[in-house]
Amino acid sequence: MRQVILDTETTGLDPALGHRVIELAGVELVNRCLTGRTFHRYLNPKRPSDPGALEVHGLTEEFLSDKPLFGEAAAEFLEFVREAQLVIHNAPFDTAFLDAELRRLDLPGIAAHASGVLDTLRLAKELHPGKRNSLDALCERYGVDHSARTLHGALLDARLLAEAYLAMTRGQDSLAMDLAAENTGGAAELSQAGPLMLKVQQATEAEREAHGRYLEELDKASRGQCLWKAQGSTRTESNSSSV
């Protein structure tokens, strides 16, 4: 599966008021792995940023004056995101600006060029209701270093979101795939080496409690789809009924 973690910076909050995209960046994931491919452009909006927006991103009218127009970067950008799932934090904000820019070029909206759009802000609110779910908050929650984020920047924010998104969605399915990939070579070697005599060491009470807490977190991250936790509950009920 191909995904592009996408972010923009803009001159203001509302494209209906003529505000424009001034920075556009995407980071590519394939099968939940960062490929190293990125897209990044600063863009000349032909207008100043609102004071509040300028405080957030620091991209001055002078700095952007010699940068390409959105139309000059559009073809390369659309090729980069083509048929990928777009992963965006607060997706309605960014897609509204991108749709407005594409309309100026008589092109279909961004959804027509991608396979879908995933809003990580909405996902975070489902996983962590009642908590702060800004990008900074997600980085702190999932241990992503965001110390370099003194100002908002589209490429930096896309990279941070990629790490936070992978941590936030690391459920049992992806964990199983990762473990299988890591152990493929070792399993082949062991199968040729003959039977092994393995010593069974029982877990301590503290280890069982720690494992239980881990399953609770995994069940929460996978939205109640943790089979290991469900099977553990079934065995506990079975053992209780047989006593």
Side-chain angles (χ1 to χ4, degrees):
M1 181 181 185
R2 183 170 179 268
Q3 297 170 296
V4 171
I5 315 296
L6 190 66
D7 190 56
T8 66
E9 297 299 333
T10 63
T11 62
L13 297 177
D14 192 349
L17 298 178
H19 288 293
R20 307 291 299 270
V21 175
I22 57 175
E23 188 182 7
L24 182 57
V27 174
E28 184 183 61
L29 294 177
V30 175
N31 296 330
R32 294 180 55 82
C33 293
L34 289 163
T35 67
R37 289 189 66 215
T38 62
F39 176 91
H40 182 223
R41 293 290 181 277
Y42 292 109
L43 303 167
N44 184 353
K46 293 292 187 180
R47 60 159 294 161
S49 291
D50 281 358
L54 186 59
E55 288 182 8
V56 168
H57 54 63
L59 300 175
T60 65
E61 191 175 5
E62 180 183 6
F63 172 78
L64 298 169
S65 62
D66 63 346
K67 303 303 185 285
L69 304 177
F70 184 93
E72 297 172 310
E76 186 180 1
F77 167 66
L78 292 177
E79 182 59 31
F80 185 79
V81 302
R82 193 171 309 282
E83 298 183 356
Q85 182 189 49
L86 304 182
V87 179
I88 309 173
H89 203 64
N90 193 15
F93 179 88
D94 297 83
T95 57
F97 270 93
L98 291 171
D99 287 349
E101 295 287 359
L102 292 170
R103 277 196 301 271
R104 292 186 178 94
L105 302 174
D106 294 322
L107 292 172
I110 188 63
H113 304 274
S115 66
V117 178
L118 188 154
D119 185 358
T120 51
L121 178 58
R122 180 177 178 180
L123 176 61
K125 287 180 177 179
E126 292 175 357
L127 293 174
H128 310 289
K131 295 185 178 180
R132 291 175 56 246
N133 288 300
S134 65
L135 179 55
D136 282 331
L138 291 184
C139 288
E140 291 165 8
R141 186 171 299 140
Y142 291 103
V144 177
D145 181 7
H146 62 121
S147 57
R149 195 181 188 236
T150 54
L151 290 172
H152 289 207
L155 183 57
L156 174 61
D157 287 2
R159 285 172 168 160
L160 292 175
L161 181 59
E163 293 187 52
Y165 165 72
L166 289 172
M168 183 166 54
T169 58
R170 191 175 175 82
Q172 68 182 66
D173 291 339
S174 60
L175 178 62
M177 287 189 293
D178 291 345
L179 290 174
E182 292 173 4
N183 292 330
T184 299
E189 293 173 4
L190 287 174
S191 66
Q192 297 174 6
L196 295 176
M197 299 300 293
L198 300 178
K199 179 181 178 180
V200 178
Q201 182 172 339
Q202 299 297 327
T204 66
E205 183 62 28
E207 289 170 338
R208 286 195 292 270
E209 290 177 359
H211 181 63
R213 290 193 296 271
Y214 172 77
L215 290 184
E216 289 290 342
E217 289 295 323
L218 191 57
D219 190 54
K220 186 176 181 180
S222 62
R223 303 187 198 179
Q225 300 300 311
C226 178
L227 296 180
W228 296 325
K229 183 174 182 295
Q231 290 172 353
S233 299
T234 302
R235 285 196 296 269
T236 301
E237 293 171 1
S238 175
N239 290 339
S240 299
S241 62
S242 63
V243 174

